[in-house]
Amino acid sequence: MEAIWLYQFRLIVIGDSTVGKSCLIRRFTEGRFAQVSDPTVGVDFFSRLVEIEPGKRIKLQIWDTAGQERFRSITRAYYRNSVGGLLLFDITNRRSFQNVHDWLEEARSHVQPHSIVFLLVGHKCDLEAQRQVSRQEAEKLAGAYGMRYVETSARDAINVEHAFTELTRDIFALVRSGDITIQEGWEGVKSGFVPNVVHSSEEVTKSDRRCLC
Amino acid sequence: MYPCSSTALQRSLLHEQLEVRYRAMKRKWQLFLPSSVRMHLNGTDAELAAAVGYFEQRQAQVQQQTQHRSEEVRDRLAFLELQAQILFERFTFDCEELSEAIRIIDKDVPRTNRDLSYFQEQGLGNLLVLRDILITYAAFHPEVSYAQGMNDLCSRFLEVLDSEVDTFWSFSCYMEKFSKDFRADGLHRKIELEAALLKELDPQLYTHLATDNMENFTFCHRWLLLGFQREFEHSDALRLFEILSCDHLELISQQVDQARYRERLARRLSTDDRSECELPAINTDFTFELFICAAILLENRESLLRCRDDVQLIQFTSRLQGTLDLNSTLKKAELHFYNYCKRCAWDYGNGHCRAQESKDEDFLYQLRSLFLLR
């Protein structure tokens, strides 16, 4: 049976290649850390339910993208239908941090007429000794673009749940306040079954069955 | 890697030349970026550290062997060495680009087919061989450099040939044909081509899948780029790779020319049309892997038609991984392929007859067919 969820949000995960996008998603959706994983070629898809308040579940559809620049011709088609995004950089790789601005530009120019709620993620925070980007610096950049900033580690499972849940909560608040609305032909947000609606839909199926008999 | 017309005798000499050339190329980037000669290890992968050990042992052995060469061989090699140095003397590297390529290669090489026995235990050293090949290729082909996924392709050559030099040159030859697919514009073009082919073969399925950005075709992009490596069982995938890289069934190959020729001949006999000589309008960009992909799509057409959005599509296609049967897929792809050739010949024939009727007086047309008759 399909689990009950209030809304479905579509998220996209972007950032330079080898910053650990796939590993972060795998940790979140499968609960494990893959020491060796194939490089993402094109796009991949994952999903998971998140409970943001007791009894309020959101289904997340997560699109994983290839980070290498030349794959952008493929991945850019996926911005338009995303409501949220995790923008990753590797705290041990300064260049991936410098490219954050480019990624935002890339997203902004392909998401029209919609917009994406981004969360800036400094990944691989277990490798403190090799850090090349300070937390203050990253927070400052995130602030300048109106994003939150979270540091995560897929290997040590630090803040992985937190990152996805925070982003989901932010989007949920925007949906509730009406800043984000469900639109026909847009996959970003879809409404699901609310528990009491499920009741009635069950009744509908039952009555359907009766009719068939 | 050798010209088709070369003899066995020539080949052994050519091989010497290619070997010296490859070593010269490798040495050149190693001198340019001495810090990248050794692989960057991040300390969490103990097996990889062992790999470096095996690799260095092997290199020391090779070094020893070279000391036992006769004078004649040494003279010849010295000459080839000089030749290679002159050849690459003017070649310059873009430091930043190359360093970035090496950084990604160093991340990708350790995650290349580690489950294959070829890359296990002593074979771990082969990962480092793969690394040197990929870097050398990237350094000397800045227009392509390194794209993720090339590690998969190159490792297949290495596994089969088990030789660094042969792999480098075979991979380079393969990339002459496919490198455009790894460039930014080529990636999307491949998807568009697949969509165009599907439009020819099954307009209904095409309409179901087509959108503005062709994002519904993204799922088959990986199939095409990596030659279905992750879709078939490993030995089958290798076999398919060999088929795809040998140009047997391409729209430019001899087989196709023959098939089209026979078709035209039959056509000519039946209609008594004597002015047949122009080649049919055939889209030679439809390479055989596109037909394989189309065969898989058509095989699953009912399920695909039931998919209502891109999520269902990508879920359906990832379930196909490892379930496909190579022989039956190949047979179907071949059939689609010949049918496409036949249809093109027919379409051409029909168009040609009509043209003959309507343009009888067209002077230019007459001139053209006269010219082509020669």
Side-chain angles (χ1 to χ4, degrees):
Chain A
M1 192 193 95
E2 177 122 16
I4 301 156
W5 39 271
L6 203 58
Y7 287 107
Q8 174 183 290
F9 295 163
R10 199 184 266 224
L11 308 181
I12 187 166
V13 180
I14 55 172
D16 277 14
S17 64
T18 76
V19 298
K21 296 179 291 298
S22 305
C23 281
L24 183 77
I25 301 175
R26 283 245 158 83
R27 168 61 88 179
F28 178 66
T29 56
E30 294 164 13
R32 63 188 177 85
F33 177 70
Q35 185 69 245
V36 175
S37 71
D38 288 329
T40 311
V41 175
V43 291
D44 262 331
F45 169 80
F46 300 85
S47 74
R48 208 195 108 171
L49 280 175
V50 179
E51 194 163 79
I52 47 163
E53 281 167 33
K56 281 192 179 144
R57 274 183 292 244
I58 307 277
K59 186 179 180 185
L60 296 181
Q61 285 192 341
I62 306 163
W63 291 88
D64 186 14
T65 61
Q68 220 185 349
E69 188 162 351
R70 60 186 81 194
F71 287 99
R72 289 189 190 176
S73 62
I74 305 288
T75 55
R76 64 173 56 122
Y78 288 82
Y79 290 113
R80 204 190 75 85
N81 275 317
S82 305
V83 67
L86 284 91
L87 174 45
L88 263 72
F89 71 90
D90 173 356
I91 64 154
T92 68
N93 172 1
R94 183 134 198 109
R95 188 165 164 162
S96 70
F97 177 67
Q98 285 158 348
N99 286 339
V100 163
H101 175 77
D102 287 351
W103 280 108
L104 283 172
E105 279 300 307
E106 163 83 3
R108 218 161 268 169
S109 58
H110 292 98
V111 73
Q112 304 294 345
H114 308 280
S115 64
I116 297 183
V117 182
F118 270 114
L119 174 77
L120 185 65
V121 179
H123 197 43
K124 307 191 186 175
C125 71
D126 54 302
L127 302 173
E128 191 59 48
Q130 298 167 42
R131 184 190 275 274
Q132 290 181 3
V133 182
S134 75
R135 182 187 272 273
Q136 290 80 357
E137 217 180 339
E139 271 169 354
K140 201 174 147 201
L141 184 81
Y145 287 109
M147 299 184 281
R148 277 177 199 266
Y149 177 63
V150 178
E151 290 197 343
T152 57
S153 159
R155 178 178 292 133
D156 295 350
I158 301 168
N159 276 342
V160 177
E161 289 287 319
H162 177 71
F164 280 93
T165 327
E166 278 301 294
L167 181 63
T168 310
R169 283 216 181 93
D170 287 350
I171 298 168
F172 182 65
L174 289 168
V175 171
R176 230 184 346 200
S177 68
D179 289 317
I180 295 175
T181 52
I182 299 165
Q183 289 166 44
E184 188 71 24
W186 182 59
E187 305 282 329
V189 180
K190 286 194 163 173
S191 75
F193 310 105
V194 209
N196 53 7
V197 179
V198 169
H199 254 313
S200 58
S201 78
E202 264 171 8
E203 276 164 22
V204 172
T205 20
K206 270 178 205 154
S207 62
D208 270 350
R209 277 194 198 120
R210 241 176 270 137
C211 288
L212 285 169
C213 292
Chain B
M1 60 192 249
Y2 305 111
C4 290
S5 56
S6 56
T7 63
L9 195 67
Q10 284 171 326
R11 284 183 189 192
S12 72
L13 290 170
L14 276 171
H15 191 266
E16 242 170 27
Q17 187 186 37
L18 290 174
E19 168 143 21
V20 171
R21 257 183 212 182
Y22 171 71
R23 305 262 172 241
M25 290 162 95
K26 183 165 142 181
R27 217 168 29 241
K28 188 161 169 116
W29 70 255
Q30 288 184 331
L31 284 171
F32 180 72
L33 285 173
S35 60
S36 297
V37 173
R38 296 197 60 175
M39 186 162 183
H40 175 78
L41 298 173
N42 67 6
T44 53
D45 193 340
E47 277 189 353
L48 208 58
V52 177
Y54 291 130
F55 178 68
E56 280 168 0
Q57 262 173 27
R58 212 186 301 176
Q59 281 197 316
Q61 278 169 8
V62 174
Q63 203 92 64
Q64 273 193 333
Q65 281 166 7
T66 55
Q67 284 168 3
H68 299 293
R69 282 174 179 150
S70 73
E71 201 157 318
E72 191 199 331
V73 174
R74 258 189 253 177
D75 279 353
R76 198 168 61 225
L77 289 177
F79 172 72
L80 289 173
E81 184 72 40
L82 201 66
Q83 204 184 29
Q85 273 176 23
I86 294 167
L87 191 65
F88 300 117
E89 195 184 54
R90 288 208 186 149
F91 202 93
T92 53
F93 303 117
D94 177 334
C95 183
E96 200 182 333
E97 282 299 314
L98 185 57
S99 307
E100 174 64 8
I102 293 176
R103 190 186 69 78
I104 303 177
I105 290 171
D106 278 356
K107 294 275 184 181
D108 284 357
V109 160
R111 46 181 176 168
T112 308
N113 288 331
R114 284 276 281 275
D115 47 340
L116 295 179
S117 59
Y118 185 72
F119 291 113
Q120 277 166 7
E121 293 173 27
Q122 297 265 322
L124 273 165
N126 292 325
L127 288 174
L128 280 298
V129 176
L130 179 66
R131 173 183 186 265
D132 282 355
I133 297 169
L134 288 171
I135 297 178
T136 310
Y137 182 83
F140 285 85
H141 299 82
E143 72 288 357
V144 194
S145 189
Y146 172 74
Q148 299 195 290
M150 280 188 194
N151 57 332
D152 272 343
L153 289 179
C154 192
S155 84
R156 276 177 270 183
F157 283 107
L158 187 59
E159 184 194 348
V160 173
L161 300 170
D162 193 27
S163 146
E164 180 172 355
V165 175
D166 293 1
T167 301
F168 174 78
W169 291 106
S170 302
F171 178 67
S172 302
C173 291
Y174 177 84
M175 290 304 283
E176 269 175 36
K177 186 174 155 201
F178 288 100
S179 67
K180 61 177 186 299
D181 295 346
F182 282 92
R183 292 160 68 171
D185 44 349
L187 290 161
H188 206 257
R189 183 175 159 273
K190 203 83 192 170
I191 301 182
E192 286 162 16
L193 276 174
E194 182 62 51
L197 177 61
L198 193 65
K199 194 177 182 180
E200 296 266 344
L201 299 176
D202 189 337
Q204 194 197 348
L205 187 57
Y206 167 81
T207 317
H208 179 71
L209 296 176
T211 55
D212 289 347
N213 291 313
M214 291 297 156
E215 65 253 39
N216 281 345
F217 283 92
T218 314
F219 63 82
C220 47
H221 165 252
R222 182 172 62 208
W223 301 358
L224 296 169
L225 191 66
L226 303 185
F228 307 89
Q229 166 152 290
R230 298 181 193 172
E231 277 55 51
F232 291 99
E233 187 259 314
H234 182 69
S235 59
D236 275 351
L238 271 185
R239 193 153 67 90
L240 177 58
F241 185 57
E242 193 167 342
I243 295 170
L244 289 178
S245 47
C246 77
D247 280 357
H248 166 62
L249 278 181
E250 293 294 353
L251 292 166
I252 46 170
S253 74
Q254 270 188 325
Q255 270 75 14
V256 173
D257 268 352
Q258 277 169 13
R260 278 152 74 196
Y261 178 71
R262 276 198 300 273
E263 196 62 33
R264 284 205 301 272
L265 213 61
R267 184 84 195 137
R268 193 164 164 177
L269 289 173
S270 65
T271 60
D272 216 11
D273 176 6
R274 286 178 201 189
S275 60
E276 183 76 51
C277 25
E278 204 179 341
L279 282 178
I282 204 163
N283 190 346
T284 47
D285 286 337
F286 288 157
T287 42
F288 191 57
E289 76 270 20
L290 295 173
F291 283 92
I292 303 244
C293 183
I296 299 174
L297 296 181
L298 292 174
E299 177 73 11
N300 295 287
R301 128 178 243 281
E302 298 310 318
S303 315
L304 289 171
L305 285 172
R306 274 198 298 274
C307 290
R308 275 171 291 116
D309 55 38
D310 48 354
V311 172
Q312 291 180 348
L313 275 175
I314 209 156
Q315 284 174 329
F316 173 74
T317 45
S318 35
R319 276 200 297 276
L320 285 179
Q321 266 190 17
T323 64
L324 298 168
D325 176 62
L326 181 60
N327 284 334
S328 75
T329 310
L330 277 174
K331 273 190 203 130
K332 281 176 202 131
E334 198 178 24
L335 194 69
H336 289 307
F337 179 77
Y338 281 127
N339 282 339
Y340 173 73
C341 295
K342 276 186 183 173
R343 228 190 39 226
C344 285
W346 271 96
D347 287 352
Y348 166 75
N350 289 335
H352 200 82
C353 288
R354 272 198 302 277
Q356 189 84 349
E357 285 158 19
S358 62
K359 291 188 186 169
D360 246 354
E361 328 286 39
D362 189 337
F363 174 69
L364 274 173
Y365 178 79
Q366 298 262 352
L367 196 71
R368 199 157 137 252
S369 46
L370 264 177
F371 179 70
L372 284 163
L373 266 173
R374 299 237 164 114

